[in-house]
Amino acid sequence: METAIKRLGKSPQELGTVGYFGGGCDDNSCPDILETENGDFIIIGKDVTGDVNLNGISGLAPNERAVLIPRITLTSAKKDIP
């Protein structure tokens, strides 16, 4: 099991992305980027696996999902990504 230790970038509340995908943070629908204790990242966003065209640029293994996050979520995390 992966354990998140810190958020990268600003919180969804600070970015104004609470409910970005149609819900509120109370129902776990806030896009976010978290770092794990081993240095990997957890991306919280909308699962678009069945609705995305990767256009031959990349592919998905059966155990992978394509996750959409708002641009502002990633750009706010830029300063925290080594």
Side-chain angles (χ1 to χ4, degrees), residues 2-18:
E2 298 291 333
T3 300
I5 59 168
K6 70 178 182 178
R7 166 180 286 116
L8 301 180
K10 296 179 180 178
S11 72
Q13 291 81 2
E14 293 173 291
L15 295 173
T17 58
V18 173

Side-chain angles (χ1 to χ4, degrees), residues 35-79:
E35 186 172 353
T36 67
E37 58 192 356
N38 70 358
D40 289 336
F41 302 98
I42 297 170
I43 308 298
I44 300 173
K46 181 179 179 183
D47 182 352
V48 293
T49 303
D51 301 322
V52 67
N53 178 357
L54 299 177
N55 207 22
I57 296 169
S58 190
L60 292 171
N63 65 337
E64 294 177 324
R65 299 291 175 264
V67 177
L68 180 69
I69 59 172
R71 179 180 182 85
I72 194 170
T73 301
L74 182 60
T75 59
S76 83
K78 183 178 177 179
K79 65 177 178 49

